[in-house]
Amino acid sequence: MALERLTGLIAFARAGSLGSFTAAARSLSVSPSAVSKSIQRLERHLGVPLFTRTTRSLVLTPEGRDLHERALRLLREAEEIEQAAMTARSEPSGTLRVAASLPIGLHVIAPALPSFRALHPKVTVDLRLTDRMVDIVEEGIDVAVRIGDLSDSSLLSRKLPPYRLCCFASPSYLAARGTPAHPDDLQDHELVNLRYQSTGQVFRWPFWVGGREIEIIPTAGVDMSDAVLAMLAAGGGIGISASFIAAPYVARGELVAVLSDFAVQRSNITALWPESRRANPAVRAFLTLLRHAFQGG
């Protein structure tokens, strides 16, 4: 098979899985026009249309659906060959594609990457930060880090170290308004809360009180965790955050923990990777990085 046709099959498989040339291009680290041209050449060679294109959507044709399944199988087999070759080399090497949410990528993974690269100079990390639930297998992701309960999956997984959910505020705010001694005291304070972009729901603040977990639900919301912390650091009130997100602000003296005796612990961050990456040395090395990074946070 000519290299050009193989390139077209890869572009076709990704576009069919992700539903757009732009998303496929981002996944493959090429331009959307390169994906479009590769697929057009493949269609001319095969003599059948693979997609029905409109200004708003990209839909597989009946012929395209059948060929898409075949293309995915071909690429999975090619990836297994690549992984077998990587496993044969004991030293981690190659490109490692990692997907994570913005807070985890920004506050945990990115700060740890320089030391990881120093330990494993032959590994290039392609870090993709998104709150979208990526399809790990179809998008060629080697390791994904997710928060929350997971549905049954054929993916391999490992729970990462727990973290705390605690309230934080700036020293200036507490000096002006006082420090609450109990979650009930929060009603007398300015509260800054997170609102989820995907659902519009505000975050429910958990506290451990009297041997059980209770919840407080502030109504106001900001739809990004870093915006919440920026407001708190500027003296905007009291907010709640995962310990690994707030850690840099605490280290700089911009925030201090509040109501820490009532903070709750969570163990719902998981690393996932495909079965085909089980023995990949770079994946194993990155899982070690994640464990140490979360323990440090």
Side-chain angles (χ1 to χ4, degrees):
M1 175 181 287
L3 180 61
E4 182 180 273
R5 293 178 203 166
L6 184 57
T7 301
L9 282 172
I10 294 171
F12 165 58
R14 288 290 169 82
S17 297
L18 299 177
S20 79
F21 289 162
T22 301
R26 188 181 305 115
S27 166
L28 296 169
S29 299
V30 299
S31 67
S33 63
V35 169
S36 177
K37 290 176 182 176
S38 290
I39 292 174
Q40 288 173 7
R41 287 193 294 266
L42 181 64
E43 287 177 318
R44 286 197 297 269
H45 173 74
L46 297 175
V48 294
L50 299 174
F51 292 105
T52 299
R53 301 166 174 81
T54 70
T55 56
R56 294 186 177 181
S57 66
L58 187 70
V59 181
L60 287 164
T61 62
E63 298 87 353
R65 281 195 297 273
D66 178 59
L67 293 174
H68 183 249
E69 291 299 322
R70 296 170 183 265
L72 287 178
R73 287 199 298 271
L74 176 64
L75 294 184
R76 280 195 287 268
E77 290 174 0
E79 283 195 343
E80 288 173 4
I81 294 171
E82 181 184 26
Q83 294 302 316
M86 288 182 177
T87 302
R89 303 191 301 262
S90 59
E91 183 181 5
S93 62
T95 298
L96 189 71
R97 293 171 291 273
V98 178
S101 65
L102 180 61
I104 289 176
L106 185 62
H107 297 289
V108 180
I109 298 177
L113 285 183
S115 60
F116 180 79
R117 293 180 64 182
L119 284 172
H120 308 290
K122 293 185 179 180
V123 178
T124 300
V125 177
D126 179 357
L127 180 59
R128 304 174 184 194
L129 304 183
T130 176
D131 289 326
R132 177 177 61 86
M133 191 68 75
V134 300
D135 188 310
I136 294 174
V137 175
E138 292 197 358
E139 297 185 38
I141 300 298
D142 297 301
V143 181
V145 184
R146 290 180 178 168
I147 303 178
D149 297 327
L150 302 176
S151 58
D152 292 338
S153 171
S154 60
L155 298 170
L156 302 178
S157 64
R158 177 183 295 174
K159 284 283 187 183
L160 296 173
Y163 61 95
R164 293 204 315 158
L165 284 170
C166 185
C167 283
F168 295 91
S170 70
S172 62
Y173 175 85
L174 296 176
R177 298 289 299 271
T179 301
H182 189 279
D184 290 343
D185 299 336
L186 290 173
Q187 62 186 345
D188 300 322
H189 286 268
E190 299 293 331
L191 304 183
V192 182
N193 196 17
L194 173 69
R195 182 180 62 250
Y196 292 107
Q197 292 182 358
S198 56
T199 64
Q201 299 296 311
V202 294
F203 185 70
R204 306 165 74 93
W205 293 17
F207 295 96
W208 191 251
V209 179
R212 66 187 183 92
E213 189 173 300
I214 66 167
E215 289 183 342
I216 293 176
I217 311 174
T219 54
V222 179
D223 66 3
M224 184 175 291
S225 57
D226 282 280
V228 171
L229 291 176
M231 289 181 64
L232 299 182
I238 297 174
I240 199 165
S241 172
S243 54
F244 62 83
I245 299 177
Y249 293 87
V250 174
R252 293 191 297 266
E254 297 174 359
L255 294 177
V256 296
V258 177
L259 300 173
S260 56
D261 290 343
F262 302 93
V264 301
Q265 183 171 282
R266 290 285 186 261
S267 299
N268 62 348
I269 300 183
T270 308
L272 303 105
W273 62 101
E275 170 68 32
S276 62
R277 310 301 199 271
R278 176 188 290 273
N280 185 312
V283 170
R284 292 201 302 265
F286 194 79
L287 293 173
T288 300
L289 160 82
L290 289 174
R291 184 176 70 252
H292 291 319
F294 275 96
Q295 285 173 341

